[in-house]
């Protein structure tokens, strides 16, 4: 009998990675250099970013000294250029199809190791420590979010599943952070969310019935990861607090980021 994983989110991370890999599997080096709609990044840039931070997360569980070295390169890059991109590009020398294969090979090996970890194990990170569950969920979130610009560029619509709930929960848990990072006062209670999962199941969060957000769970995840403008989704936000959250939602760490302008992120016609 197959033993169930202790850290089920590791399998969700792997499925997310495999979904993206399938979309990329037949692309040659030139096709991987296509520009996306995200900040002038190419598909190759997306893979460098994902591979760099997947490897960093894995180091947090296997080689903390190596992680600290990597963090030092990131801090130096930020000080020198104001961006992490130099550290990412300097650390990941592979490009083209070799980069794609290295990224997915590492993701597969990482998921196999992580699925049996204690979800509550504390891991050192760039900022505060994280639980293993939070860390691998963040890796799924990044893969899902950056997958958007890849699928958009390739003119493909990704088939979604209920594993997106991990991203939704991350968005819910960063309700306060979304306000804090934008120097906004956070309401004491979270708007009532009524979200429809890809399977048709209804997920609810929050309690403020005067401020409500309803619509597809995938659209909510897209807004909190800033991969779609709120205006370009099927979400409905009622009440000032709900509208303020959806206008400033940011489920990831770092400085305040501006969500994409309406119409700027979409599936391209090929």
């Amino acid at each position: 009998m197959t033993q169930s994983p202790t850290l089920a989110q590791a399998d969700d991370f792997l499925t997310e990675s495999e979904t993206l890999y399938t979309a990329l599997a037949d692309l040659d080096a030139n096709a991987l250099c296509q520009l996306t709609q995200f900040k002038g990044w190419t598909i190759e840039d997306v893979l460098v970013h994902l591979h760099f931070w997947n490897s960093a997360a894995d180091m947090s569980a296997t080689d903390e000294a190596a992680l600290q070295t990597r963090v030092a390169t990131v801090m130096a890059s930020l000080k020198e250029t104001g961006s992490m991109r130099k550290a990412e590009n300097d650390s990941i020398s592979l490009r083209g199809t070799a980069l794609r294969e290295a990224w997915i090979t590492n993701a597969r090996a990482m998921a196999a190791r992580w699925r049996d970890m204690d979800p509550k194990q504390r891991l050192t990170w760039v900022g505060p420590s994280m639980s293993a569950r939070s860390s691998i969920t963040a890796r799924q979130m990044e893969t899902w979010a950056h997958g958007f610009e890849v699928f958009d560029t390739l003119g493909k619509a990704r088939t979604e599943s209920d594993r997106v709930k991990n991203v939704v929960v991350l968005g819910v848990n960063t309700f306060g952070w979304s306000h804090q990072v934008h120097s906004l006062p956070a309401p004491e209670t979270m708007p009532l969310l009524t979200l429809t999962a890809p399977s048709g199941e209804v997920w609810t969060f929050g309690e403020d019935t005067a401020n409500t957000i309803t619509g597809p769970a995938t659209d909510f995840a897209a807004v909190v990861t800033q991969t779609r403008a709120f205006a370009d989704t099927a979400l409905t936000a009622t009440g000032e607090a709900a509208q303020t959250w959806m206008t400033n939602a940011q489920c990831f760490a770092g400085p305040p980021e501006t969500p994409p302008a309406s119409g700027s992120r979409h599936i391209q016609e090929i």
Side-chain angles (χ1 to χ4, degrees), residues 26-76:
D26 295 331
L27 300 187
D28 61 18
N30 287 333
L32 291 171
C33 288
Q34 294 178 77
L35 283 174
T36 74
Q37 297 166 357
F38 178 72
K39 298 183 178 181
W41 285 24
T42 64
I43 295 174
E44 189 175 70
D45 290 332
V46 171
L47 292 178
V48 168
H49 178 76
L50 292 177
H51 191 34
F52 180 91
W53 289 105
N54 284 354
S55 298
D58 205 24
M59 289 172 186
S60 73
T62 61
D63 191 341
E64 189 171 335
L67 172 66
Q68 296 298 346
T69 298
R70 177 154 293 195
V71 169
T73 69
V74 170
M75 295 300 106

Side-chain angles (χ1 to χ4, degrees), residues 143-219:
T143 305
W144 185 83
H146 283 292
F148 255 101
E149 57 251 35
V150 174
F151 281 94
D152 287 346
T153 299
L154 299 178
K156 298 180 179 181
R158 177 175 48 202
T159 300
E160 300 291 356
S161 82
D162 283 8
R163 69 178 178 274
V164 77
K165 188 173 187 178
N166 295 328
V167 183
V168 169
V169 170
L170 194 59
V172 168
N173 289 343
T174 52
F175 170 68
W177 165 252
S178 291
H179 292 78
Q180 178 186 336
V181 73
H182 290 96
S183 300
L184 296 169
E188 292 184 6
T189 56
M190 191 174 73
L192 177 64
L193 299 177
T194 306
L195 305 175
T196 304
S199 67
E201 184 178 348
V202 176
W203 299 333
T204 59
F205 306 89
E207 56 187 19
D208 181 0
T209 55
N211 287 274
T212 62
I213 299 167
T214 60
T218 301
D219 281 0

Side-chain angles (χ1 to χ4, degrees), residues 9 52 54 86 95 122 142 145 156 181 183 196 205 217 225 230 234 239 251 257 260 265:
Q9 287 81 0
F52 180 91
N54 284 354
K86 184 179 186 301
R95 293 294 183 269
R122 302 305 298 181
E142 281 237 64
K156 298 180 179 181
V181 73
S183 300
T196 304
F205 306 89
T225 56
F230 171 59
C251 76
E257 295 285 352
R265 301 286 300 274

